Amino acid sequence: MSKFIAIDLDAQGLFVVAGSARSGQAKVEQAVAWSGTEAEGGPPTLTLQTATAIGEQLRERLRSAGISAAPTIITIARDRVVLKELRYPDVPVSEEPNIVRFQALKELSDSPDEVVLDYVPMSAAAGERKSMAVAVRKELYQALQQMCVAANLRLVGVTARPYAIAAGVKQALSTGATPAPESPLDAIAVLTLSPGGGEFTVTCNGEVTFTRAVPAPVVASDSMLLAEVRRNLTMYAGANPGHPVQALYVAESSGRWALKLGSALGIPVHAYDPLLGSTTNVEDSARGRYAAAAGLLAARSGGDLPINFVNPRQPIAQVNPNRTLALVGLLAGLLLFAVGGAWGYLSLKAADDDLVLKTKLRNDAKKLWEATKPDADRLAAAETWKSRRVIWLDELFDMADRKPVAPGFHVVSFNGKAKTPNAKTGKQDSQAELQIKVTARTPEPVNAFVAAIDRDSIDPNPKDPKNPKKYYIGADKSIGGPSADEPSAQEYTIKVLGVNQRPADRFTRMPTFSPPQRKYYPPTPPSAKEPAKETEKAARASG
């Protein structure tokens, strides 16, 4: 049996199963989930920037779960792909990929270079063909490739989730894991649910004919979910009046949703367990979330995936052995060249006229820009002046919060002085300098004060992480003489050689106030010290 790893790229994480898939038989042997929001420990949203980090962590999680590397297939959620049902004349099989691609790209808003496109043929009436084209943004596809490289996995298939879900429920019906409809040609609907939303998919004779994403808020409400299911059934019935949905299947093991929906809908509703028959130890409440991952193995067991962005359908080149037809084609080409020449002349003339018009528009825009340039210069000068300003009240507020609470530690003065720009270059190494005088009995609180300034010197949320802005430069202390107000205290001067401008939204401290000790504060005036000492001596003598 061929071993595969199937990964469902869910809105709230990654759901992974490992197992065998061959000759129409698929079996899940191991399952592991990495789910939840990023704040809860779940993976971040997959992008080109996060793909490597996600892949490295996925590799460690697979290793911890005892899942060895194997060919990997991935499914993408419905809301991250675009599906287009296309109808076109009966054409040779070799020309069909080009026809489908041409029609699909006409209906897509993205550039052809920004998407990866594949399609699957569908049943159609005589004389025409029908296909379902599926497109995914190339950026997401490249992120999946990058994630697999970082996870040391070989990517062999990427498909849309509705096709994996359809394959999973088809296997459940064939094995008797859930009741089958009266006829294999009946249209059936499959509902998958999770806290982050779900999907509603309709299949008919194994083909995906209708699919919609279910928003997360809908899943949180029984009434909203029932209304959403009814709406989707109505939409499908309106588009396919001759093939209404005959049964609804819900991916869950408990049957809770199936029971609720079955009592409200006019069609049979059944639950099916995607992991039925597997050897995995997964909680009942989470088994339904593996429907797409387990369905991937079922889809792969039948051969090639219906939709595979790794190996999309391509035109089949055929050599034409008929020379006469080649000559006719050559003559047609010459005729087309003549027609093209006339069309080209007219197009060039139209392009010249368009160039004249656009040149005029450009000149008008240039004049308007030049008229507004003085205002832009004044605004830039005002922004430059604003960037040199230090918000001293906020700085004093933060310094008060940084001040350690220690016996005998007092701030005597706070002196901030703005620096003037260089007269020639107009540049500044910093916007201001700061000097704080304190008294302390021991140097520890002074050192802690300086350390707190150094700790807050770098912007914690820089716009450029490689070159963060420093708010304080060169914080240091110097020792003065004994304090005039408290004999046991020493005077210190804390100097910050450079203070840079900080936007108001970067002052985020929320201090809690702790009352300082009142001993030796306020200090006794010098004139009152001697009489106090004489009084103390007299009291001792009399005692």
Side-chain angles (χ1 to χ4, degrees):
M1 300 289 281
S2 300
K3 300 292 184 179
F4 290 92
I5 293 176
I7 302 175
D8 178 26
L9 188 64
D10 189 76
Q12 289 192 340
L14 300 176
F15 290 84
V16 186
V17 299
S20 57
R22 186 180 180 184
S23 302
Q25 298 293 327
K27 182 178 180 181
V28 176
E29 299 172 355
Q30 295 169 288
V32 61
W34 181 16
S35 62
T37 63
E38 188 173 359
E40 297 170 347
T45 302
L46 179 65
T47 63
L48 287 174
Q49 291 72 33
T50 62
T52 300
I54 294 175
E56 292 172 350
Q57 294 190 52
L58 177 61
R59 179 181 58 194
E60 296 302 322
R61 288 176 178 269
L62 293 178
R63 182 182 303 168
S64 300
I67 300 177
S68 57
T72 303
I73 46 181
I74 300 177
T75 180
I76 304 173
R78 169 64 182 88
D79 56 1
R80 303 192 76 172
V81 297
V82 178
L83 285 82
K84 296 288 184 182
E85 184 179 302
L86 306 175
R87 296 177 184 270
Y88 46 93
D90 194 358
V91 296
V93 176
S94 61
E95 300 178 9
E96 187 178 56
N98 282 333
I99 297 295
V100 171
R101 182 175 180 83
F102 175 75
Q103 288 197 13
L105 291 177
K106 285 197 307 181
E107 299 186 22
L108 294 178
S109 58
D110 295 313
S111 167
D113 296 331
E114 296 177 351
V115 297
V116 180
L117 180 71
D118 195 10
Y119 74 97
V120 57
M122 301 174 66
S123 303
E128 71 169 2
R129 290 197 178 187
K130 183 170 68 171
S131 294
M132 182 70 76
V134 187
V136 62
R137 291 189 63 84
K138 186 173 291 185
E139 182 179 355
L140 176 58
Y141 176 70
Q142 292 172 343
L144 291 173
Q145 291 178 312
Q146 188 173 328
M147 180 190 74
C148 288
V149 170
N152 196 25
L153 300 174
R154 181 167 66 90
L155 184 62
V156 297
V158 177
T159 190
R161 184 184 291 167
Y163 291 91
I165 292 173
V169 76
K170 182 179 179 180
Q171 177 175 271
L173 294 173
S174 64
T175 58
T178 188
E182 294 182 2
S183 170
L185 301 180
D186 287 343
I188 61 172
V190 188
L191 181 64
T192 59
L193 300 172
S194 70
E199 291 184 8
F200 179 91
T201 302
V202 178
T203 68
C204 185
N205 196 23
E207 296 179 350
V208 175
T209 57
F210 179 85
T211 178
R212 283 175 58 86
V214 178
V218 173
V219 180
S221 169
D222 293 358
S223 59
M224 292 178 64
L225 178 62
L226 177 60
E228 180 72 13
V229 172
R230 283 175 171 168
R231 185 183 304 110
N232 290 336
L233 290 172
T234 303
M235 290 177 62
Y236 173 78
N240 302 270
H243 298 278
V245 172
Q246 300 297 324
L248 173 65
Y249 294 86
V250 184
E252 59 177 348
S253 61
S254 63
R256 181 175 68 91
W257 283 111
L259 183 62
K260 290 183 178 181
L261 294 174
S263 62
L265 299 175
I267 59 174
V269 180
H270 307 288
Y272 79 97
D273 184 357
L275 300 181
L276 185 65
S278 69
T279 58
T280 59
N281 186 17
V282 178
E283 296 181 359
D284 290 345
S285 60
R287 296 176 75 89
R289 302 187 70 178
Y290 289 88
L296 274 176
L297 293 181
R300 187 64 181 81
S301 68
D304 294 334
L305 299 174
I307 295 292
N308 190 354
F309 297 115
V310 175
N311 187 25
R313 287 176 171 81
Q314 300 291 342
I316 302 173
Q318 292 184 349
V319 178
N320 188 356
N322 196 324
R323 185 178 179 183
T324 303
L325 291 179
L327 293 176
V328 172
L330 178 61
L331 292 176
L334 292 175
L335 178 61
L336 182 62
F337 178 79
V339 175
W343 177 81
Y345 170 79
L346 296 176
S347 298
L348 286 175
K349 185 177 182 304
D352 289 339
D353 296 339
D354 186 58
L355 179 61
V356 172
L357 176 61
K358 290 183 177 179
T359 301
K360 182 179 181 303
L361 294 175
R362 182 201 63 185
N363 293 337
D364 293 343
K366 185 177 180 181
K367 290 179 182 178
L368 180 61
W369 178 80
E370 290 175 349
T372 58
K373 191 173 184 303
D375 292 335
D377 292 340
R378 284 192 290 270
L379 179 60
E383 290 295 333
T384 302
W385 173 83
K386 184 179 178 181
S387 67
R388 293 171 176 166
R389 184 181 59 174
V390 175
I391 307 175
W392 288 112
L393 285 178
D394 285 334
E395 291 289 352
L396 180 59
F397 185 86
D398 278 12
M399 284 296 176
D401 186 37
R402 295 187 189 102
K403 172 187 171 295
V405 177
F409 182 75
H410 305 291
V411 176
V412 179
S413 65
F414 179 92
N415 186 12
K417 180 181 178 182
K419 291 184 178 180
T420 58
N422 187 291
K424 293 183 179 180
T425 63
K427 295 182 179 179
Q428 294 175 293
D429 55 351
S430 59
Q431 279 73 55
E433 58 185 14
L434 178 62
Q435 178 176 296
I436 305 173
K437 289 187 177 182
V438 301
T439 62
R441 299 176 190 172
T442 62
E444 284 75 11
V446 182
N447 294 335
F449 201 2
V450 175
I453 296 174
D454 285 334
R455 187 170 56 252
D456 294 346
S457 62
I458 299 179
D459 185 0
N461 299 306
K463 294 181 179 178
D464 183 4
K466 295 183 179 179
N467 187 24
K469 184 175 181 180
K470 295 194 68 174
Y471 294 133
Y472 304 115
I473 302 172
D476 201 358
K477 72 176 189 300
S478 61
I479 305 175
S483 172
D485 299 327
E486 185 180 348
S488 61
Q490 189 82 19
E491 289 187 350
Y492 295 85
T493 300
I494 299 174
K495 289 185 178 180
V496 182
L497 300 180
V499 180
N500 283 317
Q501 189 267 350
R502 184 190 307 200
D505 60 353
R506 291 296 198 230
F507 290 93
T508 58
R509 302 180 74 92
M510 297 296 293
T512 56
F513 178 72
S514 297
Q517 294 186 6
R518 307 299 296 178
K519 191 175 181 181
Y520 299 114
Y521 193 87
T524 305
S527 59
K529 289 181 179 180
E530 293 304 325
K533 290 181 179 180
E534 293 298 332
T535 304
E536 183 180 352
K537 289 180 180 180
R540 290 178 179 176
S542 62

